[in-house]
Amino acid sequence: MKKYEKMLIALKDSEFNCFSNKGDWLYIANNKDTKKGLFRLVNYIHYFVSINDQRMPSEIGVVKKINGHITARELAELDYKSREKDLTLLTDESVKEYEWFLEKVNAQPEHTPMAVTWLEKTFPRKEKELRVHKKFFTGLSKEEKKELFEFEF
């Protein structure tokens, strides 16, 4: 199984709807996760949650190098444990989703802010799919971006 050196890390900043603790690992929220009444999002924007027992929501995360490495199966196990799901329900098919996520994160340079949004397609049939992508902050100066995204955890 492929090993990854980068992970999506939380930054705690309520101004950007990021309520996970700084340094928490993030993964895409599932349909049972909630924003805990902390913020509202337009319908095409989704969010991440911290992979711990709190599962706090964050609209954005930052790509960071981690100590060591992680595989998609290890990430899936962490997510399942934080959701209190039985690890025997983990299939190779579901691990592919975590692999896809780690591929997207590891394709970006360190300190890159990332977001997750819904992409709606109407042709040839109506469907929605999640996209994990780089988030642009055009209203911030280079210094503000550096201060916000280039932190140690």
Side-chain angles (χ1 to χ4, degrees), residues 30-44:
N30 68 17
N31 56 3
K32 289 201 171 94
D33 287 312
T34 67
K35 295 183 287 295
K36 301 185 182 351
L38 294 169
F39 59 95
R40 294 184 63 163
L41 293 173
V42 290
N43 64 350
Y44 66 89

Side-chain angles (χ1 to χ4, degrees), residues 57-112:
S58 278
E59 191 177 332
I60 58 172
V62 181
V63 176
K64 296 283 181 187
K65 278 198 167 137
I66 56 174
N67 293 332
H69 49 75
I70 189 165
T71 64
R73 179 161 291 281
E74 290 168 340
L75 178 60
E77 287 172 4
L78 284 171
D79 189 41
Y80 272 49
K81 284 177 190 167
S82 73
R83 288 168 29 196
E84 298 176 356
K85 279 187 82 174
D86 188 357
L87 289 178
T88 58
L89 299 174
L90 196 57
T91 63
D92 288 343
E93 196 60 40
S94 57
V95 170
K96 283 183 182 157
E97 293 175 30
Y98 295 90
E99 186 92 37
W100 170 83
F101 174 78
L102 285 170
E103 290 282 343
K104 292 284 187 191
V105 170
N106 280 264
Q108 297 295 332
E110 197 173 13
H111 311 304
T112 303

Side-chain angles (χ1 to χ4, degrees), residues 138-151:
T138 52
L140 297 178
S141 68
K142 276 190 173 178
E143 291 79 29
E144 289 172 317
K145 288 179 191 175
K146 186 173 178 136
E147 186 181 316
L148 194 60
F149 304 127
E150 295 184 23
F151 59 85

